[in-house]
Amino acid sequence: MPLPVAGRKALAELVGTAKLVAVVVGSGIAAQRLSPGDVGLQLFENAAATAAGLVAIILALGSVSGAHLNPMVSVADRVFGGITTRELAYYLPAQFTGGALGAVAANLMFSEPAVELSSTTRDGGGLWLAEAIATGGLLLVVFGISRAGRSDAAPYAVGAYIGAAYWFTASTSFANPAVTAARSLTDTFAGIAPGSMPGFIAFQLVGTSAAIVLVR
């Protein structure tokens, strides 16, 4: 028996966010192992895999849930009237749950502990500013394209933006609270220490607020 529409959307967000985090964390581990001693090359490999994976995931799931894969996109979409409060209420837990599952899956694929809290501290004004800029820029891309009637281009534009933001932001553009939380569960290349999470998420909210004002 098919799932109801709400269930299909929640499942799409859970699976999509899990796949996104698996790509981010898994490609980071692979890059670290395949290119030891060259952090720049590791970052390039991680960014390229993430950008390509993001395009594929949005193309696959966009017709089901919109492929938000990001609580900030969902919150902004609620503000703009694209989804209901009820939809937001099941998008958010699906995204956070999916992110955690994706991190665990990536860890296990590479024979790492299923859950190992990250020891990588990412703090400071520059990184927090970067997260505000990265998140705000992402939302401008998503909703700017939507309002221009070019939704068919969204997967490629979002993938391209995230790939670029890995490099032009000091934080390597987490830009997503669900992904940020999930990345605290791996002590590998993509990890972030749990204590660094609140600052990142707070400034992702700042970037989201600014983008909502700009888009309006």
Side-chain angles (χ1 to χ4, degrees):
M1 181 178 175
L3 284 171
V5 172
R8 290 199 299 272
K9 289 184 175 182
L11 182 59
E13 287 298 304
L14 186 149
V15 171
T17 311
K19 293 291 289 182
L20 173 58
V21 172
V23 169
V24 172
V25 174
S27 64
I29 297 171
Q32 211 169 25
R33 293 183 182 181
L34 294 171
S35 306
D38 191 337
V39 179
L41 182 56
Q42 291 169 11
L43 183 60
F44 175 79
E45 292 162 345
N46 191 206
T50 300
L54 191 52
V55 171
I57 294 165
I58 296 172
L59 284 171
L61 300 174
S63 64
V64 183
S65 66
H68 292 184
L69 318 177
N70 186 333
M72 295 297 91
V73 174
S74 298
V75 167
D77 204 23
R78 175 64 192 94
V79 171
F80 296 136
I83 62 173
T84 65
T85 300
R86 181 170 176 267
E87 287 174 318
L88 181 65
Y90 56 75
Y91 271 48
L92 299 185
Q95 290 159 352
F96 279 98
T97 301
L101 292 174
V104 169
N107 285 336
L108 292 175
M109 281 194 292
F110 288 91
S111 301
E112 298 285 340
V115 174
E116 186 174 24
L117 297 181
S118 176
S119 59
T120 304
T121 300
R122 301 176 189 262
D123 285 328
L127 298 186
W128 296 333
L129 175 61
E131 278 303 291
I133 291 171
T135 309
L138 173 61
L139 295 186
L140 287 176
V141 169
V142 170
F143 291 100
I145 286 174
S146 175
R147 292 188 174 209
R150 293 294 312 278
S151 295
D152 57 323
Y156 310 102
V158 171
Y161 176 81
I162 292 298
Y166 258 79
W167 289 90
F168 79 75
T169 65
S171 63
T172 67
S173 183
F174 284 45
N176 183 328
V179 170
T180 303
R183 287 172 66 167
S184 73
L185 304 178
T186 181
D187 196 20
T188 61
F189 183 80
I192 178 172
S196 298
M197 283 171 46
F200 267 52
I201 293 173
F203 279 85
Q204 289 162 2
L205 285 165
V206 170
T208 298
S209 301
I212 287 171
V213 171
L214 288 171
V215 171
R216 276 182 161 169

mmCIF file with all atom_site columns, all heavy atoms in Angstrom, residues 100-130:
data_model
loop_
_atom_site.group_PDB
_atom_site.id
_atom_site.type_symbol
_atom_site.label_atom_id
_atom_site.label_alt_id
_atom_site.label_comp_id
_atom_site.label_asym_id
_atom_site.label_entity_id
_atom_site.label_seq_id
_atom_site.pdbx_PDB_ins_code
_atom_site.Cartn_x
_atom_site.Cartn_y
_atom_site.Cartn_z
_atom_site.occupancy
_atom_site.B_iso_or_equiv
_atom_site.pdbx_formal_charge
_atom_site.auth_seq_id
_atom_site.auth_comp_id
_atom_site.auth_asym_id
_atom_site.auth_atom_id
_atom_site.pdbx_PDB_model_num
ATOM 1   N N   . ALA A 1 100 ? 21.968 11.975 10.453 1.00 0.00 ? 100 ALA A N   1
ATOM 2   C CA  . ALA A 1 100 ? 22.661 11.085 11.393 1.00 0.00 ? 100 ALA A CA  1
ATOM 3   C C   . ALA A 1 100 ? 22.881 9.707  10.778 1.00 0.00 ? 100 ALA A C   1
ATOM 4   O O   . ALA A 1 100 ? 23.966 9.124  10.897 1.00 0.00 ? 100 ALA A O   1
ATOM 5   C CB  . ALA A 1 100 ? 21.866 10.973 12.684 1.00 0.00 ? 100 ALA A CB  1
ATOM 6   N N   . LEU A 1 101 ? 21.859 9.189  10.103 1.00 0.00 ? 101 LEU A N   1
ATOM 7   C CA  . LEU A 1 101 ? 21.985 7.877  9.469  1.00 0.00 ? 101 LEU A CA  1
ATOM 8   C C   . LEU A 1 101 ? 23.045 7.895  8.373  1.00 0.00 ? 101 LEU A C   1
ATOM 9   O O   . LEU A 1 101 ? 23.802 6.922  8.204  1.00 0.00 ? 101 LEU A O   1
ATOM 10  C CB  . LEU A 1 101 ? 20.638 7.445  8.890  1.00 0.00 ? 101 LEU A CB  1
ATOM 11  C CG  . LEU A 1 101 ? 19.534 7.123  9.908  1.00 0.00 ? 101 LEU A CG  1
ATOM 12  C CD1 . LEU A 1 101 ? 18.218 6.853  9.194  1.00 0.00 ? 101 LEU A CD1 1
ATOM 13  C CD2 . LEU A 1 101 ? 19.938 5.932  10.767 1.00 0.00 ? 101 LEU A CD2 1
ATOM 14  N N   . GLY A 1 102 ? 23.119 8.986  7.634  1.00 0.00 ? 102 GLY A N   1
ATOM 15  C CA  . GLY A 1 102 ? 24.120 9.093  6.579  1.00 0.00 ? 102 GLY A CA  1
ATOM 16  C C   . GLY A 1 102 ? 25.531 9.097  7.126  1.00 0.00 ? 102 GLY A C   1
ATOM 17  O O   . GLY A 1 102 ? 26.444 8.484  6.546  1.00 0.00 ? 102 GLY A O   1
ATOM 18  N N   . ALA A 1 103 ? 25.736 9.778  8.257  1.00 0.00 ? 103 ALA A N   1
ATOM 19  C CA  . ALA A 1 103 ? 27.068 9.804  8.880  1.00 0.00 ? 103 ALA A CA  1
ATOM 20  C C   . ALA A 1 103 ? 27.463 8.417  9.370  1.00 0.00 ? 103 ALA A C   1
ATOM 21  O O   . ALA A 1 103 ? 28.603 7.973  9.170  1.00 0.00 ? 103 ALA A O   1
ATOM 22  C CB  . ALA A 1 103 ? 27.086 10.801 10.029 1.00 0.00 ? 103 ALA A CB  1
ATOM 23  N N   . VAL A 1 104 ? 26.525 7.720  9.995  1.00 0.00 ? 104 VAL A N   1
ATOM 24  C CA  . VAL A 1 104 ? 26.803 6.366  10.480 1.00 0.00 ? 104 VAL A CA  1
ATOM 25  C C   . VAL A 1 104 ? 27.132 5.444  9.314  1.00 0.00 ? 104 VAL A C   1
ATOM 26  O O   . VAL A 1 104 ? 28.091 4.657  9.371  1.00 0.00 ? 104 VAL A O   1
ATOM 27  C CB  . VAL A 1 104 ? 25.594 5.823  11.276 1.00 0.00 ? 104 VAL A CB  1
ATOM 28  C CG1 . VAL A 1 104 ? 25.755 4.332  11.567 1.00 0.00 ? 104 VAL A CG1 1
ATOM 29  C CG2 . VAL A 1 104 ? 25.429 6.601  12.580 1.00 0.00 ? 104 VAL A CG2 1
ATOM 30  N N   . ALA A 1 105 ? 26.355 5.543  8.229  1.00 0.00 ? 105 ALA A N   1
ATOM 31  C CA  . ALA A 1 105 ? 26.598 4.695  7.062  1.00 0.00 ? 105 ALA A CA  1
ATOM 32  C C   . ALA A 1 105 ? 27.980 4.948  6.466  1.00 0.00 ? 105 ALA A C   1
ATOM 33  O O   . ALA A 1 105 ? 28.704 4.005  6.112  1.00 0.00 ? 105 ALA A O   1
ATOM 34  C CB  . ALA A 1 105 ? 25.517 4.936  6.014  1.00 0.00 ? 105 ALA A CB  1
ATOM 35  N N   . ALA A 1 106 ? 28.360 6.223  6.344  1.00 0.00 ? 106 ALA A N   1
ATOM 36  C CA  . ALA A 1 106 ? 29.675 6.552  5.787  1.00 0.00 ? 106 ALA A CA  1
ATOM 37  C C   . ALA A 1 106 ? 30.790 6.017  6.676  1.00 0.00 ? 106 ALA A C   1
ATOM 38  O O   . ALA A 1 106 ? 31.782 5.451  6.185  1.00 0.00 ? 106 ALA A O   1
ATOM 39  C CB  . ALA A 1 106 ? 29.809 8.063  5.616  1.00 0.00 ? 106 ALA A CB  1
ATOM 40  N N   . ASN A 1 107 ? 30.645 6.180  7.982  1.00 0.00 ? 107 ASN A N   1
ATOM 41  C CA  . ASN A 1 107 ? 31.648 5.647  8.906  1.00 0.00 ? 107 ASN A CA  1
ATOM 42  C C   . ASN A 1 107 ? 31.818 4.139  8.723  1.00 0.00 ? 107 ASN A C   1
ATOM 43  O O   . ASN A 1 107 ? 32.941 3.627  8.631  1.00 0.00 ? 107 ASN A O   1
ATOM 44  C CB  . ASN A 1 107 ? 31.236 5.942  10.356 1.00 0.00 ? 107 ASN A CB  1
ATOM 45  C CG  . ASN A 1 107 ? 31.454 7.395  10.758 1.00 0.00 ? 107 ASN A CG  1
ATOM 46  O OD1 . ASN A 1 107 ? 32.273 8.094  10.183 1.00 0.00 ? 107 ASN A OD1 1
ATOM 47  N ND2 . ASN A 1 107 ? 30.714 7.834  11.759 1.00 0.00 ? 107 ASN A ND2 1
ATOM 48  N N   . LEU A 1 108 ? 30.695 3.434  8.660  1.00 0.00 ? 108 LEU A N   1
ATOM 49  C CA  . LEU A 1 108 ? 30.755 1.981  8.557  1.00 0.00 ? 108 LEU A CA  1
ATOM 50  C C   . LEU A 1 108 ? 31.321 1.517  7.221  1.00 0.00 ? 108 LEU A C   1
ATOM 51  O O   . LEU A 1 108 ? 32.049 0.518  7.156  1.00 0.00 ? 108 LEU A O   1
ATOM 52  C CB  . LEU A 1 108 ? 29.358 1.389  8.776  1.00 0.00 ? 108 LEU A CB  1
ATOM 53  C CG  . LEU A 1 108 ? 28.797 1.525  10.195 1.00 0.00 ? 108 LEU A CG  1
ATOM 54  C CD1 . LEU A 1 108 ? 27.361 1.016  10.250 1.00 0.00 ? 108 LEU A CD1 1
ATOM 55  C CD2 . LEU A 1 108 ? 29.669 0.770  11.198 1.00 0.00 ? 108 LEU A CD2 1
ATOM 56  N N   . MET A 1 109 ? 31.006 2.222  6.145  1.00 0.00 ? 109 MET A N   1
ATOM 57  C CA  . MET A 1 109 ? 31.536 1.851  4.829  1.00 0.00 ? 109 MET A CA  1
ATOM 58  C C   . MET A 1 109 ? 33.057 1.844  4.815  1.00 0.00 ? 109 MET A C   1
ATOM 59  O O   . MET A 1 109 ? 33.682 1.036  4.116  1.00 0.00 ? 109 MET A O   1
ATOM 60  C CB  . MET A 1 109 ? 31.022 2.811  3.750  1.00 0.00 ? 109 MET A CB  1
ATOM 61  C CG  . MET A 1 109 ? 29.615 2.557  3.287  1.00 0.00 ? 109 MET A CG  1
ATOM 62  S SD  . MET A 1 109 ? 29.238 3.453  1.766  1.00 0.00 ? 109 MET A SD  1
ATOM 63  C CE  . MET A 1 109 ? 29.241 5.158  2.322  1.00 0.00 ? 109 MET A CE  1
ATOM 64  N N   . PHE A 1 110 ? 33.645 2.758  5.574  1.00 0.00 ? 110 PHE A N   1
ATOM 65  C CA  . PHE A 1 110 ? 35.096 2.886  5.592  1.00 0.00 ? 110 PHE A CA  1
ATOM 66  C C   . PHE A 1 110 ? 35.718 2.278  6.850  1.00 0.00 ? 110 PHE A C   1
ATOM 67  O O   . PHE A 1 110 ? 36.844 2.612  7.227  1.00 0.00 ? 110 PHE A O   1
ATOM 68  C CB  . PHE A 1 110 ? 35.494 4.352  5.444  1.00 0.00 ? 110 PHE A CB  1
ATOM 69  C CG  . PHE A 1 110 ? 35.255 4.888  4.056  1.00 0.00 ? 110 PHE A CG  1
ATOM 70  C CD1 . PHE A 1 110 ? 34.061 5.493  3.720  1.00 0.00 ? 110 PHE A CD1 1
ATOM 71  C CD2 . PHE A 1 110 ? 36.230 4.756  3.076  1.00 0.00 ? 110 PHE A CD2 1
ATOM 72  C CE1 . PHE A 1 110 ? 33.832 5.975  2.437  1.00 0.00 ? 110 PHE A CE1 1
ATOM 73  C CE2 . PHE A 1 110 ? 36.019 5.244  1.793  1.00 0.00 ? 110 PHE A CE2 1
ATOM 74  C CZ  . PHE A 1 110 ? 34.809 5.852  1.462  1.00 0.00 ? 110 PHE A CZ  1
ATOM 75  N N   . SER A 1 111 ? 34.953 1.366  7.482  1.00 0.00 ? 111 SER A N   1
ATOM 76  C CA  . SER A 1 111 ? 35.442 0.616  8.647  1.00 0.00 ? 111 SER A CA  1
ATOM 77  C C   . SER A 1 111 ? 35.861 1.523  9.804  1.00 0.00 ? 111 SER A C   1
ATOM 78  O O   . SER A 1 111 ? 36.775 1.200  10.562 1.00 0.00 ? 111 SER A O   1
ATOM 79  C CB  . SER A 1 111 ? 36.616 -0.298 8.243  1.00 0.00 ? 111 SER A CB  1
ATOM 80  O OG  . SER A 1 111 ? 36.208 -1.215 7.244  1.00 0.00 ? 111 SER A OG  1
ATOM 81  N N   . GLU A 1 112 ? 35.192 2.646  9.935  1.00 0.00 ? 112 GLU A N   1
ATOM 82  C CA  . GLU A 1 112 ? 35.356 3.524  11.088 1.00 0.00 ? 112 GLU A CA  1
ATOM 83  C C   . GLU A 1 112 ? 34.300 3.147  12.132 1.00 0.00 ? 112 GLU A C   1
ATOM 84  O O   . GLU A 1 112 ? 33.319 2.459  11.809 1.00 0.00 ? 112 GLU A O   1
ATOM 85  C CB  . GLU A 1 112 ? 35.166 4.992  10.672 1.00 0.00 ? 112 GLU A CB  1
ATOM 86  C CG  . GLU A 1 112 ? 36.174 5.504  9.661  1.00 0.00 ? 112 GLU A CG  1
ATOM 87  C CD  . GLU A 1 112 ? 37.538 5.776  10.266 1.00 0.00 ? 112 GLU A CD  1
ATOM 88  O OE1 . GLU A 1 112 ? 37.620 5.937  11.504 1.00 0.00 ? 112 GLU A OE1 1
ATOM 89  O OE2 . GLU A 1 112 ? 38.517 5.826  9.510  1.00 0.00 ? 112 GLU A OE2 1
ATOM 90  N N   . PRO A 1 113 ? 34.454 3.580  13.378 1.00 0.00 ? 113 PRO A N   1
ATOM 91  C CA  . PRO A 1 113 ? 33.382 3.357  14.357 1.00 0.00 ? 113 PRO A CA  1
ATOM 92  C C   . PRO A 1 113 ? 32.072 3.964  13.853 1.00 0.00 ? 113 PRO A C   1
ATOM 93  O O   . PRO A 1 113 ? 32.064 5.018  13.229 1.00 0.00 ? 113 PRO A O   1
ATOM 94  C CB  . PRO A 1 113 ? 33.888 4.088  15.601 1.00 0.00 ? 113 PRO A CB  1
ATOM 95  C CG  . PRO A 1 113 ? 35.382 4.138  15.440 1.00 0.00 ? 113 PRO A CG  1
ATOM 96  C CD  . PRO A 1 113 ? 35.624 4.267  13.974 1.00 0.00 ? 113 PRO A CD  1
ATOM 97  N N   . ALA A 1 114 ? 30.966 3.280  14.122 1.00 0.00 ? 114 ALA A N   1
ATOM 98  C CA  . ALA A 1 114 ? 29.672 3.766  13.629 1.00 0.00 ? 114 ALA A CA  1
ATOM 99  C C   . ALA A 1 114 ? 29.416 5.210  14.059 1.00 0.00 ? 114 ALA A C   1
ATOM 100 O O   . ALA A 1 114 ? 28.956 6.034  13.261 1.00 0.00 ? 114 ALA A O   1
ATOM 101 C CB  . ALA A 1 114 ? 28.548 2.857  14.136 1.00 0.00 ? 114 ALA A CB  1
ATOM 102 N N   . VAL A 1 115 ? 29.724 5.516  15.310 1.00 0.00 ? 115 VAL A N   1
ATOM 103 C CA  . VAL A 1 115 ? 29.608 6.879  15.828 1.00 0.00 ? 115 VAL A CA  1
ATOM 104 C C   . VAL A 1 115 ? 30.867 7.191  16.613 1.00 0.00 ? 115 VAL A C   1
ATOM 105 O O   . VAL A 1 115 ? 31.223 6.470  17.551 1.00 0.00 ? 115 VAL A O   1
ATOM 106 C CB  . VAL A 1 115 ? 28.376 7.043  16.740 1.00 0.00 ? 115 VAL A CB  1
ATOM 107 C CG1 . VAL A 1 115 ? 28.379 8.427  17.381 1.00 0.00 ? 115 VAL A CG1 1
ATOM 108 C CG2 . VAL A 1 115 ? 27.086 6.826  15.958 1.00 0.00 ? 115 VAL A CG2 1
ATOM 109 N N   . GLU A 1 116 ? 31.536 8.259  16.216 1.00 0.00 ? 116 GLU A N   1
ATOM 110 C CA  . GLU A 1 116 ? 32.720 8.728  16.934 1.00 0.00 ? 116 GLU A CA  1
ATOM 111 C C   . GLU A 1 116 ? 32.704 10.246 16.894 1.00 0.00 ? 116 GLU A C   1
ATOM 112 O O   . GLU A 1 116 ? 32.866 10.845 15.818 1.00 0.00 ? 116 GLU A O   1
ATOM 113 C CB  . GLU A 1 116 ? 33.996 8.185  16.292 1.00 0.00 ? 116 GLU A CB  1
ATOM 114 C CG  . GLU A 1 116 ? 35.257 8.516  17.091 1.00 0.00 ? 116 GLU A CG  1
ATOM 115 C CD  . GLU A 1 116 ? 36.498 7.844  16.529 1.00 0.00 ? 116 GLU A CD  1
ATOM 116 O OE1 . GLU A 1 116 ? 36.515 7.504  15.328 1.00 0.00 ? 116 GLU A OE1 1
ATOM 117 O OE2 . GLU A 1 116 ? 37.460 7.677  17.294 1.00 0.00 ? 116 GLU A OE2 1
ATOM 118 N N   . LEU A 1 117 ? 32.467 10.857 18.036 1.00 0.00 ? 117 LEU A N   1
ATOM 119 C CA  . LEU A 1 117 ? 32.342 12.312 18.063 1.00 0.00 ? 117 LEU A CA  1
ATOM 120 C C   . LEU A 1 117 ? 33.614 12.968 17.549 1.00 0.00 ? 117 LEU A C   1
ATOM 121 O O   . LEU A 1 117 ? 34.720 12.570 17.893 1.00 0.00 ? 117 LEU A O   1
ATOM 122 C CB  . LEU A 1 117 ? 32.023 12.796 19.473 1.00 0.00 ? 117 LEU A CB  1
ATOM 123 C CG  . LEU A 1 117 ? 30.688 12.324 20.051 1.00 0.00 ? 117 LEU A CG  1
ATOM 124 C CD1 . LEU A 1 117 ? 30.487 12.902 21.444 1.00 0.00 ? 117 LEU A CD1 1
ATOM 125 C CD2 . LEU A 1 117 ? 29.522 12.696 19.140 1.00 0.00 ? 117 LEU A CD2 1
ATOM 126 N N   . SER A 1 118 ? 33.417 13.978 16.723 1.00 0.00 ? 118 SER A N   1
ATOM 127 C CA  . SER A 1 118 ? 34.560 14.648 16.096 1.00 0.00 ? 118 SER A CA  1
ATOM 128 C C   . SER A 1 118 ? 35.392 15.430 17.117 1.00 0.00 ? 118 SER A C   1
ATOM 129 O O   . SER A 1 118 ? 34.857 15.999 18.074 1.00 0.00 ? 118 SER A O   1
ATOM 130 C CB  . SER A 1 118 ? 34.065 15.603 15.014 1.00 0.00 ? 118 SER A CB  1
ATOM 131 O OG  . SER A 1 118 ? 35.139 16.324 14.454 1.00 0.00 ? 118 SER A OG  1
ATOM 132 N N   . SER A 1 119 ? 36.672 15.470 16.871 1.00 0.00 ? 119 SER A N   1
ATOM 133 C CA  . SER A 1 119 ? 37.578 16.262 17.703 1.00 0.00 ? 119 SER A CA  1
ATOM 134 C C   . SER A 1 119 ? 38.056 17.516 16.970 1.00 0.00 ? 119 SER A C   1
ATOM 135 O O   . SER A 1 119 ? 38.921 18.237 17.457 1.00 0.00 ? 119 SER A O   1
ATOM 136 C CB  . SER A 1 119 ? 38.787 15.414 18.112 1.00 0.00 ? 119 SER A CB  1
ATOM 137 O OG  . SER A 1 119 ? 39.477 14.951 16.957 1.00 0.00 ? 119 SER A OG  1
ATOM 138 N N   . THR A 1 120 ? 37.474 17.782 15.782 1.00 0.00 ? 120 THR A N   1
ATOM 139 C CA  . THR A 1 120 ? 37.897 18.927 14.969 1.00 0.00 ? 120 THR A CA  1
ATOM 140 C C   . THR A 1 120 ? 37.162 20.189 15.407 1.00 0.00 ? 120 THR A C   1
ATOM 141 O O   . THR A 1 120 ? 35.969 20.358 15.124 1.00 0.00 ? 120 THR A O   1
ATOM 142 C CB  . THR A 1 120 ? 37.638 18.664 13.477 1.00 0.00 ? 120 THR A CB  1
ATOM 143 O OG1 . THR A 1 120 ? 38.296 17.462 13.087 1.00 0.00 ? 120 THR A OG1 1
ATOM 144 C CG2 . THR A 1 120 ? 38.145 19.827 12.629 1.00 0.00 ? 120 THR A CG2 1
ATOM 145 N N   . THR A 1 121 ? 37.862 21.085 16.072 1.00 0.00 ? 121 THR A N   1
ATOM 146 C CA  . THR A 1 121 ? 37.265 22.341 16.527 1.00 0.00 ? 121 THR A CA  1
ATOM 147 C C   . THR A 1 121 ? 37.195 23.325 15.363 1.00 0.00 ? 121 THR A C   1
ATOM 148 O O   . THR A 1 121 ? 38.168 23.530 14.648 1.00 0.00 ? 121 THR A O   1
ATOM 149 C CB  . THR A 1 121 ? 38.093 22.942 17.670 1.00 0.00 ? 121 THR A CB  1
ATOM 150 O OG1 . THR A 1 121 ? 38.130 22.003 18.759 1.00 0.00 ? 121 THR A OG1 1
ATOM 151 C CG2 . THR A 1 121 ? 37.495 24.249 18.152 1.00 0.00 ? 121 THR A CG2 1
ATOM 152 N N   . ARG A 1 122 ? 36.031 23.902 15.177 1.00 0.00 ? 122 ARG A N   1
ATOM 153 C CA  . ARG A 1 122 ? 35.839 24.906 14.116 1.00 0.00 ? 122 ARG A CA  1
ATOM 154 C C   . ARG A 1 122 ? 35.136 26.096 14.749 1.00 0.00 ? 122 ARG A C   1
ATOM 155 O O   . ARG A 1 122 ? 33.902 26.168 14.784 1.00 0.00 ? 122 ARG A O   1
ATOM 156 C CB  . ARG A 1 122 ? 35.005 24.337 12.959 1.00 0.00 ? 122 ARG A CB  1
ATOM 157 C CG  . ARG A 1 122 ? 35.602 23.091 12.283 1.00 0.00 ? 122 ARG A CG  1
ATOM 158 C CD  . ARG A 1 122 ? 34.666 22.548 11.215 1.00 0.00 ? 122 ARG A CD  1
ATOM 159 N NE  . ARG A 1 122 ? 35.065 21.262 10.682 1.00 0.00 ? 122 ARG A NE  1
ATOM 160 C CZ  . ARG A 1 122 ? 35.744 21.076 9.545  1.00 0.00 ? 122 ARG A CZ  1
ATOM 161 N NH1 . ARG A 1 122 ? 36.093 22.121 8.814  1.00 0.00 ? 122 ARG A NH1 1
ATOM 162 N NH2 . ARG A 1 122 ? 36.047 19.859 9.122  1.00 0.00 ? 122 ARG A NH2 1
ATOM 163 N N   . ASP A 1 123 ? 35.914 27.028 15.266 1.00 0.00 ? 123 ASP A N   1
ATOM 164 C CA  . ASP A 1 123 ? 35.370 28.186 15.972 1.00 0.00 ? 123 ASP A CA  1
ATOM 165 C C   . ASP A 1 123 ? 36.028 29.465 15.475 1.00 0.00 ? 123 ASP A C   1
ATOM 166 O O   . ASP A 1 123 ? 37.095 29.438 14.864 1.00 0.00 ? 123 ASP A O   1
ATOM 167 C CB  . ASP A 1 123 ? 35.625 28.064 17.488 1.00 0.00 ? 123 ASP A CB  1
ATOM 168 C CG  . ASP A 1 123 ? 34.702 27.060 18.154 1.00 0.00 ? 123 ASP A CG  1
ATOM 169 O OD1 . ASP A 1 123 ? 33.559 26.908 17.689 1.00 0.00 ? 123 ASP A OD1 1
ATOM 170 O OD2 . ASP A 1 123 ? 35.131 26.429 19.138 1.00 0.00 ? 123 ASP A OD2 1
ATOM 171 N N   . GLY A 1 124 ? 35.386 30.590 15.770 1.00 0.00 ? 124 GLY A N   1
ATOM 172 C CA  . GLY A 1 124 ? 35.983 31.891 15.473 1.00 0.00 ? 124 GLY A CA  1
ATOM 173 C C   . GLY A 1 124 ? 35.108 32.740 14.577 1.00 0.00 ? 124 GLY A C   1
ATOM 174 O O   . GLY A 1 124 ? 34.291 32.226 13.800 1.00 0.00 ? 124 GLY A O   1
ATOM 175 N N   . GLY A 1 125 ? 35.291 34.036 14.694 1.00 0.00 ? 125 GLY A N   1
ATOM 176 C CA  . GLY A 1 125 ? 34.464 34.985 13.957 1.00 0.00 ? 125 GLY A CA  1
ATOM 177 C C   . GLY A 1 125 ? 34.475 34.791 12.461 1.00 0.00 ? 125 GLY A C   1
ATOM 178 O O   . GLY A 1 125 ? 33.435 34.914 11.796 1.00 0.00 ? 125 GLY A O   1
ATOM 179 N N   . GLY A 1 126 ? 35.633 34.477 11.888 1.00 0.00 ? 126 GLY A N   1
ATOM 180 C CA  . GLY A 1 126 ? 35.732 34.296 10.447 1.00 0.00 ? 126 GLY A CA  1
ATOM 181 C C   . GLY A 1 126 ? 34.890 33.118 9.970  1.00 0.00 ? 126 GLY A C   1
ATOM 182 O O   . GLY A 1 126 ? 34.193 33.201 8.946  1.00 0.00 ? 126 GLY A O   1
ATOM 183 N N   . LEU A 1 127 ? 34.943 32.015 10.710 1.00 0.00 ? 127 LEU A N   1
ATOM 184 C CA  . LEU A 1 127 ? 34.170 30.835 10.329 1.00 0.00 ? 127 LEU A CA  1
ATOM 185 C C   . LEU A 1 127 ? 32.675 31.081 10.501 1.00 0.00 ? 127 LEU A C   1
ATOM 186 O O   . LEU A 1 127 ? 31.862 30.636 9.683  1.00 0.00 ? 127 LEU A O   1
ATOM 187 C CB  . LEU A 1 127 ? 34.601 29.619 11.153 1.00 0.00 ? 127 LEU A CB  1
ATOM 188 C CG  . LEU A 1 127 ? 36.047 29.153 11.003 1.00 0.00 ? 127 LEU A CG  1
ATOM 189 C CD1 . LEU A 1 127 ? 36.266 27.855 11.779 1.00 0.00 ? 127 LEU A CD1 1
ATOM 190 C CD2 . LEU A 1 127 ? 36.407 28.932 9.541  1.00 0.00 ? 127 LEU A CD2 1
ATOM 191 N N   . TRP A 1 128 ? 32.304 31.793 11.554 1.00 0.00 ? 128 TRP A N   1
ATOM 192 C CA  . TRP A 1 128 ? 30.886 32.079 11.778 1.00 0.00 ? 128 TRP A CA  1
ATOM 193 C C   . TRP A 1 128 ? 30.347 33.010 10.688 1.00 0.00 ? 128 TRP A C   1
ATOM 194 O O   . TRP A 1 128 ? 29.240 32.809 10.189 1.00 0.00 ? 128 TRP A O   1
ATOM 195 C CB  . TRP A 1 128 ? 30.680 32.694 13.155 1.00 0.00 ? 128 TRP A CB  1
ATOM 196 C CG  . TRP A 1 128 ? 31.036 31.755 14.277 1.00 0.00 ? 128 TRP A CG  1
ATOM 197 C CD1 . TRP A 1 128 ? 31.004 30.386 14.254 1.00 0.00 ? 128 TRP A CD1 1
ATOM 198 C CD2 . TRP A 1 128 ? 31.483 32.107 15.588 1.00 0.00 ? 128 TRP A CD2 1
ATOM 199 N NE1 . TRP A 1 128 ? 31.406 29.869 15.457 1.00 0.00 ? 128 TRP A NE1 1
ATOM 200 C CE2 . TRP A 1 128 ? 31.707 30.898 16.309 1.00 0.00 ? 128 TRP A CE2 1
ATOM 201 C CE3 . TRP A 1 128 ? 31.725 33.320 16.234 1.00 0.00 ? 128 TRP A CE3 1
ATOM 202 C CZ2 . TRP A 1 128 ? 32.147 30.871 17.626 1.00 0.00 ? 128 TRP A CZ2 1
ATOM 203 C CZ3 . TRP A 1 128 ? 32.164 33.298 17.556 1.00 0.00 ? 128 TRP A CZ3 1
ATOM 204 C CH2 . TRP A 1 128 ? 32.369 32.084 18.238 1.00 0.00 ? 128 TRP A CH2 1
ATOM 205 N N   . LEU A 1 129 ? 31.126 34.027 10.331 1.00 0.00 ? 129 LEU A N   1
ATOM 206 C CA  . LEU A 1 129 ? 30.723 34.904 9.233  1.00 0.00 ? 129 LEU A CA  1
ATOM 207 C C   . LEU A 1 129 ? 30.584 34.103 7.944  1.00 0.00 ? 129 LEU A C   1
ATOM 208 O O   . LEU A 1 129 ? 29.641 34.299 7.171  1.00 0.00 ? 129 LEU A O   1
ATOM 209 C CB  . LEU A 1 129 ? 31.746 36.026 9.051  1.00 0.00 ? 129 LEU A CB  1
ATOM 210 C CG  . LEU A 1 129 ? 31.529 36.964 7.856  1.00 0.00 ? 129 LEU A CG  1
ATOM 211 C CD1 . LEU A 1 129 ? 30.202 37.693 7.979  1.00 0.00 ? 129 LEU A CD1 1
ATOM 212 C CD2 . LEU A 1 129 ? 32.684 37.955 7.741  1.00 0.00 ? 129 LEU A CD2 1
ATOM 213 N N   . ALA A 1 130 ? 31.515 33.192 7.723  1.00 0.00 ? 130 ALA A N   1
ATOM 214 C CA  . ALA A 1 130 ? 31.472 32.363 6.519  1.00 0.00 ? 130 ALA A CA  1
ATOM 215 C C   . ALA A 1 130 ? 30.186 31.541 6.463  1.00 0.00 ? 130 ALA A C   1
ATOM 216 O O   . ALA A 1 130 ? 29.579 31.381 5.398  1.00 0.00 ? 130 ALA A O   1
ATOM 217 C CB  . ALA A 1 130 ? 32.686 31.435 6.474  1.00 0.00 ? 130 ALA A CB  1
#
